[in-house]
Amino acid sequence: MATTDPTLLAPPTIEVEGGADVIGRSPGQLFWMRFRKDRAAFLGLGFIGFLILIAFIAPLISKLVGHGPNDLYSNMTDSIGLPKGPTGKFFFGADQNGRDVFVRTVYGTRTSLLVAVVATSIAVATGVTLGTVAGFFRGWVDTLISRIIDIMLSLPLLLFAIGIASACSLSPKGCFGGFVKPGRGLVIFIIALFSWTYIARVVRGQVLSIRERQFIDASRSLGAGNGRIMFREILPNLVAPIIIYSTLIIPANVLFESYLSYLGLGLPPDVPSWGGMISDATRYYQVAWWMMVFPGLFLLFTTLSFNLLGDGLRDALDPRGGR
Amino acid sequence: MIKREGVVAHRKMIRVAAILTILVLMTAACSSKKDEGTGKPKTGGIFRVQLKTFRWGGGGFDPSSTYSAYSWTLYSNLMIRSLLGYRHVAGDAGNQTIPDLATDNGTVSSDGLTWTFKIKPGVKFSPPINRAVKASDIVYSFERIATPSVAAGYSFYYLSTIVGMQDFYDKKATKISGITTTGDDTISFKLTQPTGDFNYRVSMPAAAPIPPEVGKCFEKQGEYGRYVVSTGPYMFDGMAKLDPTSCATLKATVPSGFDPSPTGHVKLIRNPNYDPATDTKESRENFIDGLTVEANSNVADIFAKILKNEVDGEIANETPDILQKATTTLKNQVHTNEGDRTWYFSMNLTTPPFDDIHVRRAVNFILDKAALLKLAGGSLSGVIAGHYFPPSILAGRLKDYDPFKTTNDAGDLEKAKAEMKQSKYDKNKDGLCDPGLKACGPIYSPTEQAPPFSDYIPTVKNGFAKIGLKMNIAQVADSYVPANKPANNIAFFMGGGWGKDYGDPYTFAFPLFYGPSILCENNSAYSLLGETRKQAKACKNQYPASGSVPNADKKIDDCSALAGEARLDCWAELDKYFTENVVTWIPYRFATNVDTVATTVTKYVFDQFSGYTAYAHVSLDTSKQVGA
């Protein structure tokens, strides 16, 4: 009769010096353990949380202050139309229209986050889909998508953005058969159009590697179709890079929205945006510093926070990757 | 005691000396100020100008075609002389014509159809031509205006006015039958109809003599601009080096005085053939030795250089810090004068909801004009406009006329709602444009990205929303592109601004309100007043269901035929008619021209005709110029 050593079936216990056992941890636990040690990322996360909060409660803040973002206060400009500085009621001073810079900065948070997050979501969805398809199918599909990505990346981004924004603003019908109309939709479209390529290229590279692994062969041998393999087997393995790149694309898109608004090609002037506010301020910086400083600081800290968070997530999710 | 008395006496002496010293210093200070303000202007120095955008009105500085006020400043003050000219001073006197090349203001036949001028003897063209000006040189200038390839910018003032000029333009005639000369010094113009402002039309730069031996070498748009031959006190640097033997030899050298590229320059020097005896000090004093114009896209830098005396004058919009000090530390350097320009928002009479006069009146009542004025620079930028033609070209008529006046010019909701209630777009009579109607919005309106237009948007949107009009105002790089094409059916255009070409309201009425002036491309008559169904069909713009658009052509023709006070009275009545009965605009500002100069400028004069510095009268203190 054969006998089995029961100790062979039990999980190995490794004793280390001091008698403590090594504890098995899930990937989530490992991520959290590493992430919480990154104080800068935590600070960024905290500021982003703060931004999200004030974006949500912007109307409440406006109500408490007693000024709407587009309320015009003629007493807040002097006789030749120069804006007046911070007061007890106008914490950040007024702009050239006599509007409250504080309330507009708060509302600008809402605009920047909304435009950046929506545009980033569209860009990520597009980039992930096309990158996955290109990497998975390879051949002419990969060639076609990769060359499109190359062409997009080689375009002078800002010039094309300006051109599209101008062309689509010439009539209320917009452009592309009315698909894109002047205003917020146009800005989101332009940002998404020029930012999907980065993530598509990253995803394609990852998919090319993953599709060669044995579990993909196993899945195919069990009868899984291409769609299932791509989106149920491969895609879950790409969550980490997608999250990391998304957090890094968001601040770039916040800045992109600001560029367009700065150039007067973004949102209508009655939609508060930091870029638009800074653009207005450039004419007045010698006499009204507050118009530039406050939205500028919010823009700076927002992009910094998202970048710190993105770096922290990368370090936590991919500890082997070097900076 | 003796010692004490000595001390007292000594102290008294010190006091007297101190008082005397103070008096001497005060006298010196006062006398030096007096010298600066009223002393004789000095001759000499190069007047250095920087301008933001180096553009010359589409004609490349060709006097026949260039339609730009700053070009006219250089022509009229410095370079070329027309039959009639200007004093180049501020105010009404600056808008009146005086003899320049002509010996007098000309004679007009009793039927008002023939104008005759005699040319002064001794006026010569600058190098390389060096000959006396003849009447035939003026005939040639008018032939250039009627030459399609030259693309004369304001040929509409002449083509249908002078007999035979349209035929010449259409190549049906080889001469303009309505222009005749007698000898070398007399020229007559036969007109198709009495034209009370013909004196102004012959004062324009396009009507100044051009030597055919040069002009005929450059008959394509913009070519002649580099070779302008002067009759005035200054000319392009390098003109003396040209060889006018033939077109080929002429074109072989390009004068260094003008480079039309965006980063180009103008350099003017004294014209050796100019004889001050043929001119008057009233018109030109010519203190400066020359003038340079350079492009500088950095407006802040232009003004920084003015403050450092590195530049003497500017052509740019004053920055806020300059405006802030305009009435204090810079009050002797920042000059404000009437601009003879109206800023307005234009409503399209063919497009809902502005095809309804009650809506047009309602928006006139609701708009906060005081806010718009502040956004443009407040009191420094002008005054609130209550009607269409600037009072300065109506010789003060209608100065306080404003049928849409509201308290503090801040808009009046009650009056606006009362008008809106009478509109077909307010069926429930609540004073608001009915929300379900397409006409009530969003109303698409393209506007400039640049201030002050971009700054006006909140004021317009907020105001119009109070009477139920929802505006969709889009900022575009050049809002005039869509607005200039009637087919785009732009209902409301915020970029409207019009300055006089010369000191007569015809220069507003004809291009902006005369039906035949409406063009399918490059149209400036945004409101389409007087448009016929046929024109609408040709331009592919919508036309009101009512089947007609208000028309003022007959009234404009009637005023145009008059002269003198009767003419101005007629224009004033027409202005009232436009303001109250047609209501095509929301006029909001009669502009002031703000002009900043360095402390090097010891004599500053504003030229009312062209709206810029009167270089014909300025003088410099070269010892203060930095980097000259």
Side-chain angles (χ1 to χ4, degrees), chain A residues 70 74 96 169 270 283 286, chain B residues 320-321 374 444 455 461-462:
Chain A
N70 286 309
S74 58
Q96 75 282 9
S169 299
D270 56 334
R283 282 180 288 139
Q286 288 169 307
Chain B
D321 59 315
K374 268 191 176 187
Y444 177 74
D455 292 338
K461 281 183 103 166
N462 286 10

Side-chain angles (χ1 to χ4, degrees), chain A residues 115-231:
Chain A
V115 169
V117 168
V118 172
T120 303
S121 302
I122 294 170
V124 167
T126 310
V128 166
T129 305
L130 291 177
T132 305
V133 168
F136 184 79
F137 287 108
R138 298 186 295 187
W140 69 268
V141 177
D142 183 27
T143 304
L144 179 71
I145 294 173
S146 294
R147 291 302 78 78
I148 290 172
I149 292 170
D150 289 342
I151 290 168
M152 291 296 292
L153 286 171
S154 66
L155 293 177
L157 176 65
L158 208 53
L159 283 181
F160 265 75
I162 290 168
I164 293 171
S166 298
C168 293
S169 299
L170 281 177
S171 90
K173 292 173 196 161
C175 50
F176 303 112
F179 175 66
V180 182
K181 292 188 174 170
R184 192 174 279 151
L186 173 62
V187 176
I188 290 171
F189 170 77
I190 290 171
I191 295 173
L193 181 68
F194 286 102
S195 51
W196 64 270
T197 48
Y198 302 101
I199 199 151
R201 184 166 269 191
V202 169
V203 167
R204 172 187 166 274
Q206 294 283 325
V207 172
L208 280 173
S209 162
I210 291 170
R211 74 185 298 281
E212 302 300 332
R213 300 221 184 135
Q214 287 181 344
F215 73 93
I216 300 297
D217 292 337
S219 184
R220 194 179 297 281
S221 68
L222 288 170
N226 289 339
R228 183 185 169 87
I229 293 171
M230 277 192 288
F231 296 105

Side-chain angles (χ1 to χ4, degrees), chain A residues 54-84:
Chain A
I54 63 168
F56 268 107
I57 64 167
L60 182 66
I61 293 171
S62 170
K63 204 173 176 182
L64 287 172
V65 175
H67 309 147
N70 286 309
D71 291 350
L72 311 176
Y73 294 90
S74 58
N75 60 325
M76 285 306 290
T77 55
D78 68 13
S79 64
I80 56 167
L82 298 181
K84 293 181 181 173

Side-chain angles (χ1 to χ4, degrees), chain A residues 80-105:
Chain A
I80 56 167
L82 298 181
K84 293 181 181 173
T87 67
K89 289 183 178 173
F90 288 76
F91 308 130
F92 291 179
D95 69 6
Q96 75 282 9
N97 270 294
R99 294 175 295 193
D100 188 331
V101 173
F102 170 70
V103 173
R104 288 181 70 75
T105 305

